[in-house]
Amino acid sequence: MKRVVAQTKVELALTLRRGESVLLSLGIPVMLLVFFSFVDVLPTGTDDPVDFLAPGVLALAVMSTAMVGLGIATGFERQYGVLKRLGSTPLGRPALLVAKTLAILAVEVLQVAVLAGVAVALGWRPSSSVAVFVPATLLATVGFAGLGMLMAGRLRGEAVLAAANGLYLVLLLLGGMVIPLAELPGPLRAVSRALPAAALSDVLHAASNAGAVPGRAWLVLAGWAVVAPLVAARTFRWE
């Protein structure tokens, strides 16, 4: 257990020292939240844009850390042989994966604290409960992490960098985070609702506005949380 805690601290420190990770995890979400809260150009369908933007940006932050940040960092660690060396130490591969997971969750706690604080300062008054937010975030984290590890375990670091950022932009546009899903064309909307980004966004939007959380969104989150890690585990190459 001590080894896992020590490695978690290392993973967390390395994440917070990488400027691009901090920008992706906190900088971009905060900028999107503040900018579009003051510049009312998005078809949010709400009297106050922050009521729509806050849940979506929280979903974006989870995706940024669990998929993009983890995928890119792990991809370069694998390419440079870091994973191979760490896996052969007394720490072991399972403990290394646990440490990475705990570091992701710690970063997400920081993200939620910062983003929720900014959103409340901008006038957001959520009605969501922890009973909805926590399980949805955990399921999404597992699913996004599976996607990140799937890319990291098969591609070179540079390819992971391009693929993860490309997928990030696609899911940002199709995930209902800054543009409501209702504004998308019918066929594209149907595809979007099968993606983990849109499912998490749906749950957080419904919960924060005291609405009924769609059961379909829970099924999508659960499906990605099972399938993505399994595929990543079966295809992952440590070197």
Side-chain angles (χ1 to χ4, degrees):
M1 187 61 185
K2 290 182 179 180
R3 292 169 181 168
V4 172
V5 172
Q7 185 62 31
T8 300
K9 292 180 180 178
V10 171
E11 296 285 345
L12 185 58
L14 290 175
T15 299
L16 295 178
R17 287 175 184 173
R18 289 192 291 264
E20 69 278 9
S21 294
V22 175
L23 175 64
L24 191 67
S25 301
L26 284 174
I28 292 177
V30 168
M31 286 189 291
L32 288 173
L33 179 60
V34 174
F35 181 81
F36 287 115
S37 292
F38 285 107
V39 182
D40 190 8
V41 296
L42 295 176
T44 59
T46 59
D47 294 333
D48 193 343
V50 73
D51 290 333
F52 172 81
L53 290 168
V57 169
L58 287 172
L60 175 66
V62 173
M63 181 176 72
S64 301
T65 299
M67 184 183 74
V68 185
L70 175 64
I72 292 174
T74 305
F76 279 104
E77 287 175 352
R78 186 176 72 89
Q79 179 174 322
Y80 296 144
V82 175
L83 287 185
K84 180 181 178 182
R85 290 194 291 271
L86 285 175
S88 62
T89 65
L91 176 67
R93 293 179 178 180
L96 175 60
L97 294 178
V98 171
K100 284 184 173 294
T101 301
L102 292 176
I104 289 173
L105 294 175
V107 172
E108 288 180 351
V109 170
L110 175 62
Q111 288 176 301
V112 170
V114 172
L115 291 171
V118 172
V120 169
L122 292 172
W124 184 44
R125 297 296 180 266
S127 57
S128 58
S129 65
V130 175
V132 173
F133 181 85
V134 171
T137 301
L138 289 177
L139 285 173
T141 297
V142 174
F144 285 131
L147 289 174
M149 295 297 281
L150 178 61
M151 292 183 282
R154 300 298 299 179
L155 305 174
R156 290 181 58 82
E158 295 83 359
V160 177
L161 179 63
N165 282 313
L167 186 57
Y168 171 85
L169 289 175
V170 170
L171 293 179
L172 169 62
L173 295 175
L174 300 183
M177 298 171 178
V178 294
I179 301 175
L181 293 179
E183 298 296 326
L184 299 177
L188 193 58
R189 189 188 315 135
V191 173
S192 299
R193 292 195 183 281
L195 300 175
L200 177 60
S201 182
D202 270 351
V203 172
L204 297 188
H205 276 117
S208 66
N209 294 303
V213 179
R216 167 195 46 77
W218 286 113
L219 291 176
V220 172
L221 285 177
W224 281 98
V226 172
V227 174
L230 285 178
V231 175
R234 290 181 63 87
T235 61
F236 195 89
R237 295 184 301 191
W238 285 79
E239 54 183 291

